[in-house]
Amino acid sequence: MPDDIHFLRIALDEARAAAAAGEVPIGAVLVQKDAVLARSGNRTIRDNDPTAHAEIIVIREAARLIGNYRLSGMVLYVTLEPCAMCAGAIVQARVPRLVYAADDPKGGAFRSCFELLTSSKLNHQVEVTNGLLAEDSAALLQAFFASRR
């Protein structure tokens, strides 16, 4: 768990950077053998791309770096429960483990709205650890949206 906290803090740094750029503050880090392979915050506004969620960006970058779309042996750290699009990408990339901070009651695809990551109907299931640093992530999101009102 100490490593999980360390890498989630890096993801929170990415989320803060996203917020500073006017993006929804969600950050992701993809780790291979205890080393950060890819890290990013959301870039949907910057890139004019509705698929530019932090998770998608790090999955694309890691796949490019290793020359393979299968990301076995890696751990994905995210500040918010992935949405259905990101959960689908996690499954397709064969990421074996996900660690995320806060639940997303309006769109989460692990347990809040859907259960895609552990569905026996899919060809890959993901081991999920959730709730670490949830208060930090939730506070960041709440402050961001409060400043927009």
Side-chain angles (χ1 to χ4, degrees):
M1 183 171 331
D3 285 343
D4 289 347
I5 301 264
H6 169 73
F7 291 119
L8 267 179
R9 284 192 174 127
I10 295 171
L12 279 166
D13 288 342
E14 291 295 325
R16 287 184 195 96
E23 300 279 358
V24 174
I26 299 170
V29 176
L30 201 51
V31 173
Q32 181 181 42
K33 298 179 182 173
D34 293 325
V36 174
L37 188 60
R39 60 190 288 174
S40 185
N42 272 4
R43 296 191 332 215
T44 56
I45 296 167
R46 184 191 97 173
D47 294 356
N48 292 312
D49 181 355
T51 70
H53 290 195
E55 301 96 307
I56 300 295
I57 294 165
V58 298
I59 287 170
R60 286 177 179 159
E61 178 63 11
R64 186 188 65 76
L65 287 170
I66 68 167
N68 193 333
Y69 75 95
R70 291 185 182 221
L71 305 178
S72 59
M74 298 189 192
V75 181
L76 177 61
Y77 294 87
V78 187
T79 58
L80 188 67
E81 179 181 4
C83 69
M85 174 185 69
C86 292
I90 292 165
V91 169
Q92 292 303 316
R94 310 302 196 274
V95 174
R97 182 165 182 251
L98 166 71
V99 179
Y100 75 85
D103 287 332
D104 182 0
K106 294 184 178 181
F110 166 61
R111 69 179 190 170
S112 295
C113 297
F114 307 102
E115 295 179 8
L116 294 177
L117 295 170
T118 55
S119 174
S120 62
K121 294 178 180 180
L122 299 176
N123 62 342
H124 175 75
Q125 290 78 45
V126 180
E127 175 191 337
V128 179
T129 302
N130 61 300
L132 302 176
L133 302 179
E135 297 82 15
D136 296 347
S137 178
L140 183 59
L141 284 158
Q142 289 168 351
F144 176 81
F145 286 114
S147 74
R148 298 279 187 265
R149 292 184 191 124

